[in-house]
């Protein structure tokens, strides 16, 4: 029997009606397959929160001003953001990374200094990143994941903060899933209908400018962001190291689209934690052919969907390891 | 400003886009209202698991044999069931109650001995319980909740185990939500189409037999079960004590339907934890006009949906208490 068949048998012998733990059964089997064991463990969970600024904010595509990226990084370091609260509650380590925030943090303690630049370029005028910057961001992301792996972690989530990054994510989505910009754009942190309309017009111009780009790295360089590219590199490395990847919302999934273009197998290691209210996210999940664990109207980013879904993922592993079988418990299996 | 308005203001001043925590914001506000404070706390969460047997199993309405109720109680006491694993993970206390199992547990340690009878009557032939038995079960349920309240708990979930109890729940649903039996019946622990058809025919006969019953207590006596009646009394008491009630799946929600018929205000204290795969549950949730937190294909009972949703409920309270406000964190509010 394959490991998958053995896992299915183990799940089906637990003292419960067949299939009655729903998606938790799928997750237990998936993690068993990732780890190639009938008794998987989730060790030292960590969420990396990548922060970066976007030159495209010059075009008024976001509800909040660009300074909020820096301000929220300070909030993360002070433990006051949603992701801090949820990680603390669920015993998840959190690492905050300056991937490319438009602020000189100097030697700020608590922050991982991994800056590729102070802000991406205005992609309406020129590519957001040079090819070299994009590669550098990805390499830095890979190194960060290697560090977590070396610290014994085998489950890793990816969060982000970057005013303007729903624009970059929408453009990547449009390119990688071959959808019209209109299907990819949403209100982000809170644009009204007029704002969404303006954002759509701007993004259509950007998409037109780069319509001939074809390779994943050219696309990611032109329309991504420092935090998205770093996350892409981090995801690719995590899959290579056979870790379990916790995929958050719209931005994180746009990084996964980029990663998938470079390694289609990556999806086997991914658990889709929640479906964001940002309208494009539902279409992204359709692209991957998956249903997310949570669907609770969240659209906050930071990795909060991953942090909130984590106890359910842990519950999947725990029932597989800890529940009695029909034989063990002397329960009649009909 | 009312406490609700103050809670909304507090939520909206947190460092996050407006409304971006979705259902967690609603839960935070609801619990604040229940406790009449801007800083609610969840203290000593507990799940009561009520077990009881059903005389109607004589009519072959269930996939598993009746003995499984007793066997699963033993599994609960040994810590081997799904509810044990999930409660342990999420720091929820669990109490297992013999409400009416067809087994003499004698002085079995770890079990709460609250037996009303060894098994309900076959309701196809006579009412499942006498009126007196039903009242006794409800009173015992209320006492159990008072004990938890006296132990400082202010949040309480309700689970159950009882082979045959989806039949009782379907009948209560049909009566309290005024729906045809066909819309209330489902496979329970695993009936195939033929089995569901037989179950439907049996339940239609039962429904016809008691079609003239009108008061909630007459309905609950005739078509409920010891564990369902005890749960109903427990829920009513928990709401009276201003506790937060965690509502699980199909059976627990049928008890809530009974409780609502006796106290329509109870719903304000209820958090609907998950939507069961048992088809009638979706209609029950519609009756209450709510969307459950989780929708993950679960149909196990025992209170597992409540145990699994609990970290999300705790996260709602935690973000309300622990997240920084825009002012505190010096973050620009657009």
């Amino acid at each position: 029997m394959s490991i998958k068949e053995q896992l299915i048998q183990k799940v089906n012998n637990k003292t419960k009606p067949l299939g009655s733990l729903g998606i938790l059964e799928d997750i237990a089997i998936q993690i068993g397959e990732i780890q190639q064991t009938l008794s998987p463990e989730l060790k030292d969970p960590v969420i990396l929160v990548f922060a970066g600024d976007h030159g495209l904010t010059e075009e008024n595509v976001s509800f909040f001003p660009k300074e909020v990226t820096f301000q929220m990084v300070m909030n993360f370091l002070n433990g006051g953001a949603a992701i801090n609260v949820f990680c603390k509650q669920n015993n998840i380590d959190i690492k905050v990374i300056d991937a490319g925030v438009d602020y000189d943090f100097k030697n700020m303690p608590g922050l991982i200094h991994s800056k590729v630049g102070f802000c991406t370029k205005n992609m309406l005028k020129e590519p957001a990143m040079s090819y070299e910057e994009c590669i550098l961001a990805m390499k830095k992301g890979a190194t960060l994941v290697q560090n977590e792996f070396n610290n014994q972690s085998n489950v890793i989530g990816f969060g982000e903060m970057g005013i303007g990054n729903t624009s970059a994510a929408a453009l990547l989505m449009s390119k990688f899933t071959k959808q019209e910009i209109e299907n990819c754009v949403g209100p982000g942190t809170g644009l009204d209908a007029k704002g969404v309309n303006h954002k759509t017009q701007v993004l259509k111009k950007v998409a037109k400018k780069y319509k001939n780009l074809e390779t994943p790295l050219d696309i990611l360089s032109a329309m991504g962001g420092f935090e998205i590219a770093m996350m892409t590199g981090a995801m690719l490395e995590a899959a290579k190291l056979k870790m379990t990847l916790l995929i958050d919302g719209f931005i994180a999934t746009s990084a996964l689209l980029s990663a998938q273009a470079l390694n289609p197998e990556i999806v086997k290691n991914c658990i889709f934690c929640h479906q964001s209210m940002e309208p494009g996210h539902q279409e992204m999940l359709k692209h991957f052919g998956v249903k997310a664990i949570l669907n609770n109207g969240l659209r906050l980013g930071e990795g909060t969907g991953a942090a909130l879904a984590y106890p359910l993922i842990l519950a999947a592993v725990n029932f597989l390891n800890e529940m009695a079988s029909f034989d063990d418990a002397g329960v009649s299996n009909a």
Side-chain angles (χ1 to χ4, degrees), chain A:
Chain A
M1 274 203 295
S2 71
I3 194 92
K4 181 169 185 175
E5 287 165 330
Q6 292 176 60
L7 283 160
I8 292 171
Q9 191 176 70
K10 185 171 178 184
V11 165
N12 289 347
N13 282 332
K14 296 294 183 182
T15 46
K16 59 173 188 57
L18 197 68
S20 62
L21 279 174
I23 198 174
L24 266 64
E25 301 191 5
D26 303 330
I27 294 169
I29 292 163
Q30 183 186 355
I31 297 178
E33 275 196 279
I34 292 171
Q35 300 186 6
Q36 290 287 301
T37 171
L38 299 184
S39 304
E41 277 182 89
L42 296 177
K43 289 192 270 191
D44 295 305
V46 59
I47 291 181
L48 306 181
V49 184
F50 301 90
D53 272 309
H54 293 259
L56 193 69
T57 52
E58 287 175 11
E59 307 296 333
N60 294 312
V61 290
S62 184
F63 181 69
F64 280 91
K66 199 180 73 169
E67 293 70 38
V68 167
T69 306
F70 147 66
Q71 292 165 348
M72 283 300 296
V73 169
M74 297 306 296
N75 198 17
F76 296 145
L77 297 179
N78 291 325
I83 188 65
N84 299 103
V85 175
F86 301 151
C87 280
K88 182 179 154 203
Q89 175 189 312
N90 294 332
N91 297 310
I92 301 167
D93 198 7
I94 175 174
K95 299 280 169 77
V96 183
I97 298 137
D98 174 16
V101 179
D102 196 4
Y103 183 83
D104 185 356
F105 290 102
K106 303 218 166 64
N107 296 316
M108 180 83 65
L111 184 65
I112 296 182
H113 299 275
S114 201
K115 197 190 281 291
V116 178
F118 277 82
C119 181
T120 57
K121 300 280 197 314
N122 180 345
M123 62 175 94
L124 187 58
K125 299 181 179 160
E126 56 191 314
M129 295 172 274
S130 69
Y131 186 87
E132 290 71 26
E133 284 174 325
C134 183
I135 295 290
L136 179 61
M138 291 176 67
K139 280 191 180 161
K140 282 174 179 266
T143 301
L144 292 167
V145 169
Q146 282 157 7
N147 291 343
E148 298 305 326
F149 179 80
N150 292 340
N151 290 336
Q152 312 304 322
S153 172
N154 69 2
V155 53
I156 188 160
F158 306 89
E160 45 55 49
M161 178 68 219
I163 297 301
N165 67 10
T166 59
S167 288
L171 287 159
L172 294 172
M173 175 189 171
S174 171
K175 199 79 182 179
F176 287 120
T177 71
K178 302 192 198 318
Q179 297 217 36
E180 295 299 322
I181 286 291
E182 284 85 347
N183 295 337
C184 306
V185 180
T189 50
L191 290 175
D192 60 12
K194 194 178 156 197
V196 172
N197 186 49
H198 170 72
K199 181 177 173 181
T200 306
Q201 298 314 315
V202 171
L203 298 197
K204 284 175 93 160
K205 283 183 208 160
V206 175
K208 193 173 170 194
K209 182 175 170 72
Y210 302 110
K211 72 177 181 342
N212 293 327
L213 294 184
E214 284 186 0
T215 74
L217 292 177
D218 284 341
I219 293 165
L220 184 58
S221 304
M223 300 192 285
F226 291 131
E227 83 282 36
I228 295 176
M230 204 171 285
M231 202 187 287
T232 302
M235 288 175 172
L236 286 165
E237 185 66 18
K240 197 169 142 195
L241 294 169
K242 301 187 194 310
M243 298 173 85
T244 296
L245 281 63
L246 308 180
I247 307 302
D248 191 44
F250 189 60
I251 318 298
T253 313
S254 81
L256 182 64
L257 284 169
S258 311
Q260 185 197 30
L262 294 160
N263 172 15
E265 295 290 300
I266 195 172
V267 183
K268 290 184 184 169
N269 288 58
C270 295
I271 296 181
F272 292 85
C273 291
H274 90 115
Q275 180 179 318
S276 168
M277 276 294 275
E278 183 71 7
H281 196 226
Q282 189 166 2
E283 292 299 317
M284 284 181 175
L285 295 174
K286 272 191 202 161
H287 164 87
F288 288 106
V290 295
K291 187 170 178 282
I293 299 174
L294 300 178
N295 187 354
N296 295 131
L298 305 170
R299 50 180 178 80
L300 175 52
E302 302 178 2
T304 49
L308 289 168
Y310 185 70
L312 290 157
I313 299 163
L314 184 58
V317 167
N318 284 345
F319 96 75
L320 185 65
N321 289 325
E322 297 176 22
M323 264 181 82
S325 69
F326 283 106
D327 279 352
D328 293 343
V331 174
S332 311
N333 192 354

